Amino acid sequence: MAVVADERGSTLVDAGQSPAHAREIQAGLAAAGLPEPRWLVYTHHHWDHVWGACAWPGVEIVGHEAGVAPLRAEAARPWSHRYLREQVRENPLLGHSFRARALAVDCWDGFAVLPPARTFADELTLPTGVLVRHVGGGHAPDSAVVLVPDSGVLLLGDCWYPPPAHLRRPEDGPDLAMARGLLSDDVDWYVSAHDEPVRLAEARAALTG
Ligand SMILES: [Zn+2]
């Protein structure tokens, strides 16, 4: 996840993978004396990006409209360690994701999956200038990228990654065409959610050879 600090209110990009993870970030924000978060932008609806949301009271949650239905469905499931185990028994392909969820959450008291309160179809600009733009793609239909214009950072979430393991077909790979389409001279840093940040020149060299 990322924090875009701003005197008008900070923006969180993704919520952390659990309430405990969110609280670690909160301790970091307090230690650094950064302004309170006011917005929480979901890059997409996958659990490891949204399960910390219930530990961020007082933020407005922003997400693409295609994420609402899957998040409502996730919110209605009776999450517990027992439920996770039963689900994996029924569908072993869920093992990778559901075992990780079980490790991430040690206590389910007060846990909730929260759909976005404010949605958008194409793009949305927060009062701080942070721009959220829908890109969709095979990883998640609601994938959005977040541009922080005054620092030249583009936060990519998981947008160009292959679909999650339980939905992946043998022919699925990273969406390099999408990644290429995001190359821009307005961006200095590309930040994927599960990789090291790369500079524009590095991204361009990797994608265009
Ligand atoms: Zn994902």
Side-chain angles (χ1 to χ4, degrees):
M1 64 170 296
V3 179
V4 185
D6 194 294
E7 291 303 330
R8 293 160 286 186
S10 297
T11 300
L12 306 165
V13 180
D14 289 332
Q17 64 168 4
S18 66
H21 188 202
R23 283 190 288 272
E24 280 181 45
I25 305 294
Q26 281 156 4
L29 291 180
L34 296 179
E36 283 289 304
R38 192 159 157 198
W39 298 277
L40 162 56
V41 176
Y42 289 160
T43 59
H44 63 303
H45 69 279
H46 289 163
W47 75 276
D48 53 324
H49 300 257
V50 305
W51 271 24
C54 56
W56 293 104
V59 296
E60 182 179 36
I61 303 179
V62 176
H64 186 259
E65 58 189 18
V68 173
L71 282 166
R72 282 200 183 130
E74 290 274 292
R77 297 169 81 162
W79 298 109
S80 70
H81 282 98
R82 181 183 179 163
Y83 175 74
L84 289 166
R85 273 195 306 275
E86 288 168 356
Q87 290 290 302
V88 175
R89 216 171 293 136
E90 279 175 32
N91 180 2
L93 289 177
L94 293 173
H96 179 76
S97 163
F98 278 28
R99 276 192 292 274
R101 300 183 198 217
L103 285 171
V105 180
D106 49 15
C107 170
W108 301 92
D109 293 343
F111 175 76
V113 176
L114 301 178
R118 183 164 160 199
T119 60
F120 62 95
D122 185 24
E123 61 178 43
L124 176 150
T125 306
L126 294 177
T128 54
V130 170
L131 175 80
V132 190
R133 182 153 56 89
H134 178 240
V135 293
H139 182 79
D142 60 325
S143 274
V145 296
V146 180
L147 178 67
V148 189
D150 52 5
S151 53
V153 171
L154 189 67
L155 300 157
L156 300 166
D158 296 352
C159 71
W160 59 276
Y161 293 156
H166 67 286
L167 302 174
R168 201 174 301 164
R169 301 159 304 172
E171 65 270 31
D172 287 326
D175 191 340
L176 300 180
M178 176 197 282
R180 228 173 272 128
L182 294 169
L183 293 173
S184 161
D185 287 329
D186 295 334
V187 177
D188 295 322
W189 286 100
Y190 288 86
V191 186
S192 300
H194 302 275
D195 283 287
E196 294 294 321
V198 295
R199 286 208 173 263
L200 172 63
E202 200 183 334
R204 188 168 270 153
L207 290 165
T208 61

Short mmCIF file of all heavy atoms in Angstrom, two decimals, residues 3-4 20 30 37 40 44-45 48 63 94 101 103-104 106 119 124 128 143 152 157 171 176 200 207:
data_model
loop_
_atom_site.label_atom_id
_atom_site.label_comp_id
_atom_site.label_asym_id
_atom_site.label_seq_id
_atom_site.Cartn_x
_atom_site.Cartn_y
_atom_site.Cartn_z
N VAL A 3 0.93 5.70 0.86
CA VAL A 3 0.32 6.86 1.50
C VAL A 3 0.76 8.10 0.75
O VAL A 3 1.97 8.31 0.57
CB VAL A 3 0.74 6.97 2.98
CG1 VAL A 3 0.11 8.20 3.62
CG2 VAL A 3 0.40 5.70 3.76
N VAL A 4 -0.20 8.89 0.27
CA VAL A 4 0.12 10.16 -0.35
C VAL A 4 -0.20 11.23 0.68
O VAL A 4 -1.37 11.55 0.92
CB VAL A 4 -0.70 10.39 -1.64
CG1 VAL A 4 -0.26 11.67 -2.33
CG2 VAL A 4 -0.59 9.18 -2.58
N ALA A 20 -4.56 -5.78 11.27
CA ALA A 20 -3.26 -5.68 11.94
C ALA A 20 -2.24 -4.96 11.05
O ALA A 20 -1.44 -4.15 11.53
CB ALA A 20 -2.76 -7.08 12.30
N ALA A 30 1.83 7.92 12.38
CA ALA A 30 1.91 8.72 13.61
C ALA A 30 3.37 9.06 13.91
O ALA A 30 3.70 10.20 14.25
CB ALA A 30 1.27 7.96 14.76
N PRO A 37 -5.26 10.35 7.27
CA PRO A 37 -5.85 9.91 6.01
C PRO A 37 -7.31 10.35 5.90
O PRO A 37 -8.05 10.30 6.89
CB PRO A 37 -5.78 8.38 6.09
CG PRO A 37 -4.84 8.07 7.19
CD PRO A 37 -4.86 9.23 8.12
N LEU A 40 -9.39 6.62 1.06
CA LEU A 40 -8.78 5.30 0.86
C LEU A 40 -9.20 4.84 -0.54
O LEU A 40 -10.39 4.64 -0.80
CB LEU A 40 -9.29 4.32 1.93
CG LEU A 40 -9.11 2.82 1.67
CD1 LEU A 40 -7.65 2.47 1.39
CD2 LEU A 40 -9.62 2.01 2.86
N HIS A 44 -8.01 -2.32 -6.61
CA HIS A 44 -8.92 -3.36 -7.07
C HIS A 44 -9.43 -4.11 -5.84
O HIS A 44 -8.97 -3.85 -4.73
CB HIS A 44 -8.28 -4.30 -8.10
CG HIS A 44 -7.11 -5.08 -7.60
ND1 HIS A 44 -5.99 -4.50 -7.07
CD2 HIS A 44 -6.87 -6.42 -7.55
CE1 HIS A 44 -5.12 -5.44 -6.73
NE2 HIS A 44 -5.63 -6.61 -7.00
N HIS A 45 -10.35 -5.04 -6.04
CA HIS A 45 -11.10 -5.58 -4.91
C HIS A 45 -10.44 -6.77 -4.21
O HIS A 45 -11.00 -7.28 -3.25
CB HIS A 45 -12.49 -6.01 -5.38
CG HIS A 45 -12.47 -7.21 -6.30
ND1 HIS A 45 -12.18 -7.11 -7.64
CD2 HIS A 45 -12.65 -8.53 -6.05
CE1 HIS A 45 -12.22 -8.33 -8.18
NE2 HIS A 45 -12.50 -9.21 -7.25
N ASP A 48 -6.07 -8.91 -0.46
CA ASP A 48 -4.82 -8.39 0.13
C ASP A 48 -4.69 -6.88 -0.05
O ASP A 48 -3.73 -6.29 0.45
CB ASP A 48 -3.60 -9.14 -0.42
CG ASP A 48 -3.54 -9.19 -1.93
OD1 ASP A 48 -4.59 -9.29 -2.59
OD2 ASP A 48 -2.42 -9.12 -2.47
N GLY A 63 -13.48 3.56 -5.09
CA GLY A 63 -13.10 2.40 -5.90
C GLY A 63 -13.89 2.37 -7.19
O GLY A 63 -14.94 3.03 -7.31
N LEU A 94 -8.38 -22.76 -4.24
CA LEU A 94 -8.40 -21.57 -3.39
C LEU A 94 -7.31 -21.60 -2.31
O LEU A 94 -7.12 -20.62 -1.60
CB LEU A 94 -9.77 -21.45 -2.68
CG LEU A 94 -10.97 -21.15 -3.58
CD1 LEU A 94 -12.26 -21.25 -2.75
CD2 LEU A 94 -10.85 -19.77 -4.21
N ARG A 101 -4.89 -15.75 3.63
CA ARG A 101 -5.86 -14.96 4.40
C ARG A 101 -5.88 -15.41 5.86
O ARG A 101 -5.96 -14.59 6.78
CB ARG A 101 -7.27 -15.11 3.82
CG ARG A 101 -7.38 -14.65 2.37
CD ARG A 101 -8.82 -14.76 1.89
NE ARG A 101 -8.92 -14.74 0.43
CZ ARG A 101 -9.90 -14.15 -0.25
NH1 ARG A 101 -10.87 -13.54 0.38
NH2 ARG A 101 -9.93 -14.20 -1.57
N LEU A 103 -3.48 -16.72 7.52
CA LEU A 103 -2.27 -16.26 8.20
C LEU A 103 -2.34 -14.76 8.50
O LEU A 103 -1.76 -14.28 9.48
CB LEU A 103 -1.03 -16.53 7.34
CG LEU A 103 -0.57 -17.98 7.27
CD1 LEU A 103 0.51 -18.14 6.20
CD2 LEU A 103 -0.06 -18.45 8.63
N ALA A 104 -3.02 -14.01 7.63
CA ALA A 104 -3.03 -12.55 7.77
C ALA A 104 -3.92 -12.07 8.91
O ALA A 104 -3.65 -11.05 9.53
CB ALA A 104 -3.50 -11.91 6.45
N ASP A 106 -5.57 -12.85 12.53
CA ASP A 106 -5.57 -13.77 13.67
C ASP A 106 -6.82 -13.60 14.53
O ASP A 106 -7.14 -14.45 15.34
CB ASP A 106 -4.29 -13.66 14.50
CG ASP A 106 -3.93 -12.24 14.84
OD1 ASP A 106 -4.80 -11.36 14.69
OD2 ASP A 106 -2.78 -12.01 15.25
N THR A 119 -17.80 5.70 -6.06
CA THR A 119 -17.33 4.93 -7.20
C THR A 119 -17.15 5.83 -8.41
O THR A 119 -17.64 6.97 -8.43
CB THR A 119 -18.31 3.81 -7.56
OG1 THR A 119 -19.57 4.38 -7.89
CG2 THR A 119 -18.48 2.82 -6.42
N LEU A 124 -11.32 9.69 -11.75
CA LEU A 124 -11.77 10.55 -10.67
C LEU A 124 -10.55 11.28 -10.12
O LEU A 124 -9.48 10.68 -9.98
CB LEU A 124 -12.39 9.64 -9.61
CG LEU A 124 -12.90 10.19 -8.28
CD1 LEU A 124 -14.06 9.34 -7.81
CD2 LEU A 124 -11.81 10.22 -7.24
N THR A 128 -6.99 16.76 -3.72
CA THR A 128 -5.54 16.95 -3.60
C THR A 128 -4.82 16.82 -4.94
O THR A 128 -3.60 16.98 -5.01
CB THR A 128 -4.95 15.88 -2.66
OG1 THR A 128 -5.36 14.59 -3.15
CG2 THR A 128 -5.47 16.04 -1.25
N SER A 143 -9.54 -3.00 -11.90
CA SER A 143 -8.22 -2.43 -11.66
C SER A 143 -8.14 -0.96 -12.07
O SER A 143 -8.58 -0.58 -13.14
CB SER A 143 -7.14 -3.21 -12.42
OG SER A 143 -6.69 -4.31 -11.67
N GLY A 152 5.23 12.57 -9.71
CA GLY A 152 5.52 11.71 -10.86
C GLY A 152 5.49 10.23 -10.55
O GLY A 152 6.22 9.44 -11.13
N GLY A 157 -1.08 -0.87 -8.57
CA GLY A 157 -1.78 -2.02 -7.98
C GLY A 157 -1.24 -3.29 -8.59
O GLY A 157 -0.02 -3.47 -8.75
N GLU A 171 -2.59 -20.15 -20.67
CA GLU A 171 -2.10 -19.14 -21.60
C GLU A 171 -2.00 -17.74 -20.98
O GLU A 171 -1.53 -16.80 -21.64
CB GLU A 171 -2.99 -19.10 -22.86
CG GLU A 171 -4.42 -18.66 -22.63
CD GLU A 171 -5.37 -19.83 -22.31
OE1 GLU A 171 -4.91 -20.83 -21.72
OE2 GLU A 171 -6.57 -19.71 -22.64
N LEU A 176 1.64 -7.24 -20.79
CA LEU A 176 2.71 -6.30 -21.14
C LEU A 176 2.21 -5.18 -22.05
O LEU A 176 2.73 -4.07 -22.03
CB LEU A 176 3.88 -7.05 -21.79
CG LEU A 176 4.49 -8.13 -20.89
CD1 LEU A 176 5.65 -8.82 -21.61
CD2 LEU A 176 4.97 -7.55 -19.57
N LEU A 200 11.11 5.25 -14.95
CA LEU A 200 10.57 5.24 -16.31
C LEU A 200 11.53 4.58 -17.30
O LEU A 200 11.12 3.73 -18.09
CB LEU A 200 10.24 6.67 -16.75
CG LEU A 200 9.85 6.84 -18.21
CD1 LEU A 200 8.56 6.08 -18.53
CD2 LEU A 200 9.68 8.32 -18.57
N LEU A 207 10.10 -3.03 -21.38
CA LEU A 207 8.86 -3.27 -22.13
C LEU A 207 9.00 -3.07 -23.64
O LEU A 207 8.21 -3.58 -24.40
CB LEU A 207 7.76 -2.36 -21.60
CG LEU A 207 7.25 -2.70 -20.20
CD1 LEU A 207 6.43 -1.56 -19.63
CD2 LEU A 207 6.43 -3.98 -20.23
#
